């Protein structure tokens, strides 16, 4: 029983693979979206991999980002902003200007996340000084899957 995709009339998709059951209300370019992914209105996804059952809110900018399964990204979030800085966590793994978000993580609304970053766990606005996770930084919440 495969669910159909829903592609809104206002959405744009180019050079992308979209899994079954996905709901696209925004724009998707050069990306791979897994089954059950939701992309909100006004959101633009470029050069990214969004794994199954992840949801991204409205008016987001997602660039060069890997979002694992069952993640939730709020509204007005910008992923992959600013200058390229070396990762303080692991410069060999978190490289190529990617934003990496681990399975089941939550990104609150109204935050910006720089390049070569890693996030794991349920984060809140308090985890983002000035609503920003600068390039090369990371948030790893202990004791969370």
């Amino acid at each position: 029983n495969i669910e159909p995709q829903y592609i809104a009339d206002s959405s744009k998709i180019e050079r992308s693979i979209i899994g079954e059951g996905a709901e696209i209300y925004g724009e998707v370019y050069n990306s791979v979206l897994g089954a059950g992914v939701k992309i909100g209105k006004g959101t633009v996804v470029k050069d990214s991999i969004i794994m199954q059952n992840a949801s991204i809110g409205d008016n987001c900018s997602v660039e060069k980002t890997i979002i694992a399964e069952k993640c939730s990204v709020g509204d007005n979030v910008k992923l992959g902003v600013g200058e390229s800085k070396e990762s303080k966590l692991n410069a060999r793994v978190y490289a190529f200007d990617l934003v990496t978000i681990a399975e089941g993580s939550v990104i609150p609304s109204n935050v910006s996340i720089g390049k070569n970053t890693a996030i794991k766990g349920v984060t809140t606005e308090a985890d983002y000084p000035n609503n920003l996770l600068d390039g090369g930084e990371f948030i790893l919440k202990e004791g969370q899957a």
Side-chain angles (χ1 to χ4, degrees):
N1 188 10
I2 296 175
E3 291 182 41
Q5 299 170 341
Y6 177 77
I7 312 292
D9 290 342
S10 59
S11 66
K12 289 186 185 136
I13 299 172
E14 292 178 7
R15 296 179 310 281
S16 297
I17 298 169
I18 311 293
E20 63 270 6
E23 290 181 43
I24 313 298
Y25 299 94
E27 300 176 31
V28 180
Y29 304 99
N30 256 3
S31 297
V32 177
L33 276 55
V37 168
K38 291 190 174 94
I39 305 295
K41 290 185 175 118
T43 290
V44 179
V45 177
K46 291 182 183 167
D47 305 318
S48 296
I49 299 170
I50 317 291
M51 296 182 199
Q52 68 187 31
N53 299 318
S55 69
I56 301 173
D58 295 340
N59 303 310
C60 295
S61 167
V62 179
E63 200 154 326
K64 291 185 83 172
T65 299
I66 300 171
I67 299 178
E69 295 88 354
K70 301 183 196 98
C71 287
S72 172
V73 175
D75 297 331
N76 308 305
V77 172
K78 292 179 173 43
L79 301 174
V81 301
E83 300 294 311
S84 181
K85 295 181 184 171
E86 189 172 282
S87 171
K88 295 178 181 174
L89 181 61
N90 185 330
R92 291 211 316 266
V93 174
Y94 302 103
F96 312 106
D97 292 342
L98 291 171
V99 176
T100 308
I101 302 174
E103 183 175 350
S105 295
V106 174
I107 309 298
S109 293
N110 307 309
V111 299
S112 296
I113 296 172
K115 299 170 180 170
N116 298 326
T117 50
I119 296 169
K120 177 181 176 185
V122 177
T123 66
T124 65
E125 283 193 38
D127 295 312
Y128 301 85
N130 301 316
N131 292 338
L132 174 69
L133 181 68
D134 202 17
E137 297 290 338
F138 57 92
I139 299 172
L140 303 178
K141 295 285 193 145
E142 291 302 317
Q144 296 186 357

